[in-house]
């Protein structure tokens, strides 16, 4: 029904839903259901906190692997990964992830995808969400080497959202 109404994308696995108890298994089922209905799933993944011991890397790897269980090599290119480190969501632009560290995380996500799906995993689009604002949008896209942004509360402010779009176009 949502496809017939014009929907082409669905956000699945958002941190707010995960906080309410949604599991990677639930997310995986939603990803597969969206693909079946010709809707592009935007799979949200991200650690709750970034520790100095690197345990967050395991969390990220498991979220991706488990949330994509059952997805075929042919279908992976139809999915968008939205990396949203939970500790950056809903804060100010200065609290967004540093572009260099984001780039390193994007490389890790691509490695996880290639390990699971082979060379096809390289083509998956990765976007970033977490304290995106007009003043940091261009640097996040350019320096973080992401394919786009998942804008949160700034998308509710028409002028801010317009500025973000202009900054991304410059990137």
């Amino acid at each position: 029904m949502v496809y017939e109404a014009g929907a082409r994308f669905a956000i699945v696995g958002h941190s707010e839903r995960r906080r309410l108890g949604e599991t990677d298994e639930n997310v995986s089922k939603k990803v597969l259901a969206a693909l079946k209905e010709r809707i592009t799933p935007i799979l949200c993944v991200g650690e709750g906190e970034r520790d100095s011991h690197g345990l967050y890397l395991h969390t990220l790897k498991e979220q991706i692997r488990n949330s994509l269980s059952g997805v075929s090599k042919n279908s992976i290119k139809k999915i968008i990964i939205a990396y949203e480190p939970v500790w950056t969501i809903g804060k100010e632009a200065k609290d967004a992830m540093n572009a260099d560290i984001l780039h390193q995380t994007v490389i890790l996500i691509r490695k996880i995808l290639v390990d699971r799906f082979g060379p096809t995993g390289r083509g998956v689009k990765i976007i970033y969400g977490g304290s995106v604002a007009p003043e940091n949008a261009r640097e996040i896209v350019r320096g973080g080497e992401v394919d786009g942004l998942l804008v949160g509360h700034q998308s509710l402010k028409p002028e801010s959202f317009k500025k973000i779009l202009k900054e991304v176009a410059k990137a």
Side-chain angles (χ1 to χ4, degrees), residues 132-135 137-138 149 151-170:
V132 173
E135 55 267 30
R138 186 184 332 175
L149 302 169
V151 182
H153 68 274
Q154 292 288 323
S155 68
L156 301 175
K157 303 172 184 177
E159 286 305 310
S160 289
F161 192 60
K162 183 177 174 181
K163 288 177 185 176
I164 290 170
L165 293 173
K166 286 182 179 182
E167 291 299 318
V168 170
K170 294 175 188 176

Side-chain angles (χ1 to χ4, degrees), residues 10-71:
I11 295 174
V12 295
H14 193 273
S15 63
E16 291 175 2
R17 298 291 306 158
R18 290 180 187 267
R19 195 173 23 237
L20 292 172
E22 188 170 71
T23 65
D24 291 340
E25 182 181 345
N26 298 134
V27 173
S28 175
K29 289 177 183 176
K30 289 180 178 184
V31 166
L32 294 172
L35 289 170
K36 182 180 177 191
E37 299 302 326
R38 302 179 319 234
I39 294 175
T40 300
I42 300 172
L43 171 62
C44 295
V45 297
E47 70 278 6
E49 62 183 346
R50 192 160 270 234
D51 60 283
S52 60
H53 303 293
L55 297 175
Y56 67 93
L57 298 171
H58 177 74
T59 300
L60 193 55
K61 183 177 182 178
E62 289 304 305
Q63 269 187 355
I64 294 168
R65 290 175 66 188
N66 294 337
S67 297
L68 294 175
S69 66
V71 174

